[in-house]
Amino acid sequence: MAADTRTTPATDFDDSFVSVTGWGRTAPTVAYLMRPRTHQEAAAAVREWGARGGIARGLGRAYGDAAQNAGGTVLDMTALDRVHSVDASGGTVVCDAGVSLHRLMEVLLPLGWFVPVTPGTRHVTVGGAIGADIHGKNHHVSGSFSRHVSALELLTADGTVHTAVPGTDLFDATAGGMGLTGVILSATIRLHRVETSMMLVDTERATDLDDAMARLSAADRRHRYSVAWIDLLARGRALGRSVITRGEHAPLAALPARARRAPLAFRPGQLPAAPAFVPGGLLTRTSVGLFNEFWYRRAPRSRTGELQRLSTFFHPLDGLPHWNRIYGRDGFVQYQFVVGHGREETLRRVVRRIARRGCPSFLAVLKRFGEGDPGWLSFPMPGWTLALDIPAGLPGLGAFLDELDEEVVGAGGRVYLAKDSRLRPELLAQMYPRLAGFRELRARLDPRGVFTSDLSRRLAL
């Protein structure tokens, strides 16, 4: 982190110049970081932004450049972390945008409630969850995060705080709008009732991609949560072989007698953090191929009713702090796309191309999406989504992903902006049909371009 070069801060809250990246640790840019502690300080910060504007940032788990702003301001919202109220009978919570899902779990689970949607990490803020309109293993049942938000408070470029509710243009542009409509200050969220902090998990192996899709299609509606880890290095008859896990929140009766004494305890385990420096070249086709072989073979052919902690089922990587360091100095690219039902052949072609290319990805997941969400730039649409991590230093990676983009857009699909760091802007309108309306609303709300980011400049959002 660079030293603060200002001699006299213009405000009384924390600020400094910093080098900022996404979770993928690619394309760092330097910005002036402000860390407000109140809603009033957030409004004061927005009024101070100069010609390069600013963007709100949570816990930095967007993989690409959505929460970066080269030469401008980044507003760190993590000090705005109050849980204002919980309706323990009706199942709603009102909280600041800087509250993490981890903190919500700590507060809500003892009361018998769980967040309605969680991605693969609980270390994301509520504001980030709305701005990226995150999805989880239950999209086919529950949709994305913003579908469970009944109201939010939004600070716009003119300094006004608006209450936005679902069905209005302001809400629907903000859900999935990557922070470009304003600063989310707080939200009211509907919750999911649970009896315990444990999961009942079924696991099975699928021999190839078609087998995985058939199994997911046949059983998804019977399970709230489902996902398939997919071996993207397998080829031939084993192309797309997978390990499918499905889960439900365990009822109290499913717990052994000892565990029933504290059925809602939330104690996620944690390993030592990954070292600050990891040499490059560790994740090769050979090393990842060995890992994938081990992971597939160790999975049971079929197992039902295994009790697992919430953290084990939803957030296994959170047990290794700073796991993104294992990709070395070059970092990694996460590529996630969705194609609609009836476009399975496109998914097969993409998986085949990735396998032929030998992309060393050990974090690859396949899920089925349900109905699309109302956010104008929300990512999910009914169909199949595949997400994979690839070392950024892989030779020819940019050109290869450009080719995959063409496959995706040709099938009427899209890539996820919260994970993007390299999409060509000319493809964006084809992927997001409500883009023109989003741009028009932004122009009315923010004619001076106060809210801006590296992502928005790159894609002309």
Side-chain angles (χ1 to χ4, degrees):
M1 182 179 293
D4 185 356
T5 59
R6 284 194 179 187
T7 56
T8 306
T11 60
D12 61 355
F13 45 84
D14 300 334
D15 51 8
S16 59
F17 285 99
V18 296
S19 177
V20 182
T21 74
W23 191 246
R25 304 177 75 204
T26 60
T29 55
V30 174
Y32 185 60
L33 186 76
M34 292 179 139
R35 194 166 188 261
R37 296 182 294 262
T38 66
H39 291 183
Q40 291 74 23
E41 287 185 350
V46 170
R47 287 194 294 270
E48 286 193 10
W49 290 350
R52 296 289 287 182
I55 194 72
R57 180 181 177 92
L59 287 166
R61 292 305 180 103
Y63 285 79
D65 54 3
Q68 299 174 216
N69 184 24
T73 302
V74 168
L75 198 66
D76 180 343
M77 297 293 289
T78 54
L80 290 167
D81 59 355
R82 288 183 57 201
V83 177
H84 294 279
S85 63
V86 179
D87 180 352
S89 59
T92 59
V93 61
V94 181
C95 63
D96 283 342
V99 174
S100 70
L101 298 193
H102 174 86
R103 179 59 182 152
L104 285 184
M105 292 175 198
E106 289 181 324
V107 171
L108 298 172
L109 276 168
L111 303 175
W113 297 99
F114 189 62
V115 294
V117 172
T118 177
T121 175
R122 60 186 178 275
H123 299 301
V124 296
T125 61
V126 166
I130 298 169
D133 206 10
I134 60 171
H135 55 270
K137 299 176 181 179
N138 60 337
H139 189 275
H140 60 287
V141 173
S142 302
S144 61
F145 191 88
S146 294
R147 195 180 294 183
H148 305 271
V149 176
S150 54
L152 59 86
E153 300 294 311
L154 185 75
L155 171 66
T156 53
D158 62 359
T160 304
V161 176
H162 302 263
T163 298
V165 296
T168 63
D169 286 354
L170 187 58
F171 185 97
D172 291 346
T174 300
M178 308 309 298
L180 296 172
T181 59
V183 179
I184 299 169
L185 298 175
S186 64
T188 303
I189 306 162
R190 296 184 299 275
L191 306 170
H192 178 67
R193 170 72 82 178
V194 296
E195 294 183 16
T196 75
S197 60
M198 301 293 288
M199 300 293 296
L200 279 176
V201 180
D202 299 344
T203 305
E204 62 181 342
R205 279 192 261 174
T207 57
D208 58 27
L209 181 61
D210 285 345
D211 186 27
M213 288 193 289
R215 290 171 185 261
L216 288 171
S217 298
D220 262 6
R221 287 294 171 183
R222 299 198 300 270
H223 296 81
R224 178 170 290 273
Y225 305 98
S226 62
V227 67
W229 169 86
I230 181 170
D231 181 0
L232 289 177
L233 288 175
R235 300 175 66 177
R237 294 172 62 185
L239 180 78
R241 65 180 181 177
S242 306
V243 177
I244 298 171
T245 52
R246 303 186 182 92
E248 301 286 348
H249 293 280
L252 185 62
L255 270 57
R258 185 174 180 180
R260 293 182 199 177
R261 299 173 190 168
L264 292 165
F266 180 56
R267 304 187 189 96
Q270 186 168 292
L271 298 169
F277 174 76
V278 177
L282 293 181
L283 299 179
T284 65
R285 180 174 180 176
T286 299
S287 63
V288 174
L290 290 171
F291 172 85
N292 287 1
E293 181 70 23
F294 166 76
W295 196 255
Y296 182 77
R297 296 296 175 187
R298 76 181 289 273
R301 292 184 183 276
S302 181
R303 180 177 62 201
T304 60
E306 179 191 15
L307 279 170
Q308 290 185 6
R309 291 181 177 183
L310 285 169
S311 55
T312 301
F313 181 75
F314 288 110
H315 314 120
L317 286 174
D318 284 349
L320 178 64
H322 302 294
W323 63 263
N324 57 339
R325 294 173 179 170
I326 66 177
Y327 289 88
R329 178 183 296 178
D330 290 337
F332 68 98
V333 172
Q334 178 154 118
Y335 185 73
Q336 183 169 7
F337 68 92
V338 57
V339 292
H341 294 302
R343 297 290 188 166
E344 286 79 7
E345 186 53 39
T346 298
L347 178 62
R348 294 185 190 97
R349 278 200 307 272
V350 170
V351 171
R352 197 175 297 118
R353 294 183 69 164
I354 293 169
R356 275 202 309 264
R357 182 69 169 72
C359 293
S361 177
F362 69 96
L363 295 175
V365 294
L366 177 70
K367 290 180 287 195
R368 266 168 49 92
F369 279 158
E371 293 182 11
D373 299 289
W376 292 357
L377 297 187
S378 291
F379 168 66
M381 57 185 283
W384 299 96
T385 180
L386 176 65
L388 60 148
D389 292 351
I390 313 172
L394 193 70
L397 178 60
F400 177 68
L401 293 180
D402 285 347
E403 293 171 3
L404 297 191
D405 289 342
E406 296 290 347
E407 290 265 16
V408 170
V409 76
R414 59 181 66 135
V415 300
Y416 192 14
L417 296 182
K419 297 183 177 180
D420 176 57
S421 58
R422 28 72 46 205
L423 180 68
R424 304 194 315 279
E426 61 268 23
L427 297 181
L428 192 65
Q430 299 176 65
M431 294 181 173
Y432 289 90
R434 301 201 68 175
L435 178 63
F438 178 82
R439 285 171 169 159
E440 289 171 7
L441 183 138
R442 274 203 72 207
R444 294 198 308 271
L445 279 179
D446 186 7
R448 296 185 296 114
V450 170
F451 296 106
T452 189
S453 64
D454 291 353
L455 173 81
S456 71
R457 277 189 289 269
R458 176 169 59 82
L459 295 178
L461 280 170

